[in-house]
Amino acid sequence: MNAKDRNPATALWDFFCSLKLTIVTLILLAATSIIGTVIQQNRTPEEYLQVYSETTYRILNTLKFFDMYHSWWFLALLGIFSINLISCSIKRFPRVWKTVKEPVLVPDETLYRTFSNMEEIVIPASVDEVRKKVADFTSSHFSTPVVTEESGKVHLFAQKAAYARFGVYVTHISILIIFIGAIIGTLWGYKAFVNIVEGTATDKVWPRGSNEPIDLGFSVRCDEFSVSYYEGSSRPREFKSLLTVIDEGRTITEKRPVVVNDPLTYEGITFYQSSYGPAGEPVFNFKVRVKETGEVANITARQGQRVQLPGGGAFRVVDFTPSYQNFGPGARLEVFTESGKRNSFIVLQAFPDFDAQRGGVYSFTLVDFKQRFYTGLQVAKDPGVWVVWLGCTLMVLGSMIAFFLSHRRIWITIMPVGGKTGIKLGGSAHRNQPAFELFFDDFKKNLKAELVARD
């Protein structure tokens, strides 16, 4: 049937069964996925305008590149690929099913001529005697054959791993299941974030690119946050939150540690440790000694707060870092003497006697400090994740069946040839032909040796 003779329904069916459509759709999905990887998704307009010009932002926003996995054109690509996959499977499955369930039991010469693995043997024995020997040998060295007698000939057919032909369909189904799981997660799931200050709780999170909060249905409290640094640097080595989940007044989980790659999950909502930052100004405890009199005072001060000193002077903490170069926590102080003279210097917690070497009216020791933090959490809800996992499991199973197993078949015809008996055998495998060729060579050699030895 040429293209002009096809009706629209047939043309549409052939279009969706086309291998070209499969290749084009896969290329488009791969290309658009690269776009989704390069361009950060679901950020705020302000964040995008820091990276792109206003014109570029408008073009990309119109093309839905900032939320492409929810865009109509990406979902349409997934839909076309799914229809293509289903159509190809429906078109080819009946032939495969027939091959497995209704194999050719009586091979003719045409079938034998299609085999690249074939052998013919003639031995001086009766057909019945050879039939029994060949059937026993095939059962012990391959699989139990189906024996058919027709027109004075005996035909034996044996096969192994017939279900290997269905591995590709398991893989197709797994892809569709993964798509379904992804769609479920897209429609009924979300990705959001929340910042919780130590000692406070929240029952709302904020999705990326939106100012409308999402109600969790329970509360999450940050009891404590801590951060440790690599020695000699201000680069964080680990930051950890202790989270408590409270649902309808009941404490579900108390002070559960959450670090990177070890999230907290409750009611299908997962909290990932993402970031952190200071919440408010730190509070410092200093020991101040008046050098002239030896008077010592313990003073508490906030950053930026001007605090009076014994003897009429004052000071304030100008700046602070938890890791000053290689010396640990350090604070930069500004001291005002009674005469109005101002002096600025660094005080290190790890070296309490260091400031005593400095000149001036006072010497300072940084005893300790308290800095409240907020913990930054990424929040994800994906009700389709278990569907995706099911699809992934089926994909591994189907791929192993499809690529590592092969449907192997052997036909043997026994017929009288003059006063002797002729044996014709051939075989094929639907995958891994080199391995089957080696097997068939051993099979026919051992079969011939068996027949000759017992004859």
Side-chain angles (χ1 to χ4, degrees), residues 30-75:
T32 51
S33 296
I34 292 173
I35 294 173
T37 303
V38 173
I39 299 177
Q40 290 191 328
Q41 301 290 293
N42 300 314
R43 299 290 180 179
T44 62
E46 292 76 15
E47 289 176 301
Y48 286 123
L49 287 172
Q50 291 177 354
V51 180
Y52 306 106
S53 68
E54 187 171 347
T55 303
T56 304
Y57 168 76
R58 288 180 178 177
I59 293 173
L60 296 179
N61 191 44
T62 302
L63 295 173
K64 303 294 184 185
F65 279 5
F66 296 139
D67 190 18
M68 56 161 285
Y69 297 112
H70 294 84
S71 64
W72 65 267
W73 51 265
F74 188 78
L75 295 176

Side-chain angles (χ1 to χ4, degrees), residues 43-200:
R43 299 290 180 179
T44 62
E46 292 76 15
E47 289 176 301
Y48 286 123
L49 287 172
Q50 291 177 354
V51 180
Y52 306 106
S53 68
E54 187 171 347
T55 303
T56 304
Y57 168 76
R58 288 180 178 177
I59 293 173
L60 296 179
N61 191 44
T62 302
L63 295 173
K64 303 294 184 185
F65 279 5
F66 296 139
D67 190 18
M68 56 161 285
Y69 297 112
H70 294 84
S71 64
W72 65 267
W73 51 265
F74 188 78
L75 295 176
L77 281 176
L78 292 181
I80 292 172
F81 184 72
S82 299
I83 295 173
N84 178 232
L85 201 62
I86 294 171
S87 301
C88 291
S89 299
I90 292 174
K91 184 176 182 179
R92 291 167 176 75
F93 185 80
R95 187 175 60 186
V96 174
W97 180 260
K98 185 176 181 180
T99 300
V100 173
K101 301 303 292 184
E102 300 176 15
V104 176
L105 300 178
V106 182
D108 54 16
E109 286 299 320
T110 302
L111 179 63
Y112 275 115
R113 281 198 293 270
T114 63
F115 296 144
S116 59
N117 301 291
M118 187 180 163
E119 181 69 8
E120 293 187 67
I121 307 169
V122 177
I123 62 171
S126 68
V127 170
D128 290 339
E129 185 181 1
V130 171
R131 167 186 170 172
K132 184 177 186 312
K133 291 179 179 178
V134 172
D136 292 343
F137 180 85
T138 305
S139 296
S140 60
H141 289 77
F142 189 60
S143 71
T144 303
V146 177
V147 181
T148 306
E149 294 188 30
E150 185 176 293
S151 304
K153 297 180 181 178
V154 178
H155 304 279
L156 290 85
F157 169 76
Q159 63 179 345
K160 292 185 76 171
Y163 56 84
R165 289 183 178 269
F166 300 114
V168 64
Y169 297 102
V170 175
T171 305
H172 288 181
I173 292 172
S174 71
I175 294 173
L176 295 175
I177 291 175
I178 290 173
F179 284 174
I180 292 171
I183 291 172
I184 291 173
T186 299
L187 295 180
W188 290 286
Y190 58 78
K191 290 183 179 178
F193 71 95
V194 65
N195 294 333
I196 309 175
V197 178
E198 283 181 277
T200 65

